[in-house]
Amino acid sequence: MSSSPPLIEVDHVTKQVSDSTGTLTILHDIHFALPARESVAIVGASGSGKSTLLSIIAGLDVPTSGTVRLAGKDLFKLNEDDRAAVRAKRLGFVFQSFQLLANLNAVENVMLPLELLGKRDARATAEEMLQRVGLGERLTHYPKVLSGGEQQRVALARAFVVKPAVLLADEPTGSLDFATGERVMELMFDMNREAGTTLVLVTHDRGIAERCKRQIRIEAGKVAVE
């Protein structure tokens, strides 16, 4: 591992939820650090806590104990608005379900995070990024007329357009056929290398996981193998 300071520190994170039947521990004392430019796959069976861990790394979910530091900044000492500001500036997201806004066309979906950051050249930058992912002819198309692979490439362009320090991807090929998924992942790893982005990827796909520099296996809410 690099001797440089970690970009992401997951510091003894535990997540519990309670209901009328008692308390369920989803994650138990998860602890690891990732340097800049790392690519890591978080793997494990369904229900093992992978997606919950990704949400906590993003500051979208709050741990019961422990914390996450991003570039030395403790996410859970920030209020929700400040965490949202950190996400907008430093994090990109790619989800299995694409999460595109149906009422916006491709270029408008990619422009959105730039506009939220107050970037003046949002349209030109978004168009350039869509060209980069091979969708230069689909700028004004709405999600409903795009294929699954095209929608995921729009989502990838939206994630990378802000040049995030960290890209978080939750089963990004889960809704795609094998060939389309391979093309999307090739594009993701290419852009990861070019931008120097730290990639944190939740996946069931062993082939995708093995392409990452590192794997962290979660079993029953605990780190089993690093």
Side-chain angles (χ1 to χ4, degrees):
M1 181 183 294
S2 169
S3 60
S4 61
L7 179 62
I8 300 171
E9 295 175 87
V10 178
D11 188 359
H12 297 287
V13 162
T14 292
K15 177 66 178 181
Q16 297 176 320
V17 294
S18 299
D19 61 18
S20 59
T21 64
T23 299
L24 173 66
T25 299
I26 299 172
L27 296 170
H28 180 70
D29 197 33
I30 303 293
H31 186 74
F32 60 86
L34 303 174
R37 299 177 177 268
E38 184 79 290
S39 59
V40 60
I42 299 174
V43 299
S46 295
S48 60
K50 304 185 304 298
S51 293
T52 299
L53 177 57
L54 201 70
S55 292
I56 290 173
I57 292 172
L60 292 166
D61 198 355
V62 178
T64 305
S65 62
T67 195
V68 174
R69 284 182 287 273
L70 178 61
K73 182 171 291 187
D74 189 329
L75 292 181
F76 299 105
K77 286 184 177 177
L78 304 175
N79 62 34
E80 289 187 18
D81 287 344
D82 288 340
R83 283 203 300 273
V86 169
R87 281 194 295 273
K89 292 178 181 177
R90 292 184 173 271
L91 302 181
F93 300 89
V94 180
F95 301 97
Q96 177 177 340
S97 56
F98 315 135
Q99 300 287 347
L100 300 179
L101 296 178
N103 62 323
L104 301 181
N105 63 30
V107 73
E108 290 167 343
N109 265 283
V110 179
M111 286 171 61
L112 185 59
L114 294 169
E115 291 177 325
L116 292 174
L117 290 173
K119 301 292 185 182
R120 294 182 180 179
D121 56 349
R123 179 171 291 274
T125 303
E127 289 179 356
E128 182 180 349
M129 185 57 70
L130 284 167
Q131 293 278 358
R132 173 69 184 81
V133 300
L135 292 176
E137 303 300 316
R138 297 285 190 270
L139 300 180
T140 59
H141 288 63
Y142 287 84
K144 66 181 180 181
V145 298
L146 297 174
S147 69
E150 288 172 334
Q151 289 186 61
Q152 193 61 298
R153 281 186 280 161
V154 173
L156 193 59
R158 181 182 60 187
F160 270 106
V161 76
V162 296
K163 299 180 180 177
V166 180
L167 179 71
L168 304 173
D170 193 358
E171 298 287 0
T173 63
S175 298
L176 307 176
D177 63 77
F178 177 79
T180 303
E182 282 289 295
R183 288 195 293 272
V184 167
M185 288 310 305
E186 193 66 41
L187 187 60
M188 182 178 292
F189 280 109
D190 284 348
M191 296 176 74
N192 168 246
R193 285 189 294 269
E194 291 171 15
T197 301
T198 296
L199 175 62
V200 183
L201 175 68
V202 164
T203 184
H204 284 101
D205 189 312
R206 180 176 296 178
I208 292 173
E210 289 176 350
R211 294 178 64 179
C212 294
K213 294 179 183 176
R214 183 175 172 193
Q215 295 183 42
I216 295 173
R217 179 170 295 279
I218 306 295
E219 292 182 4
K222 299 180 181 180
V223 174
V225 177
E226 262 200 78

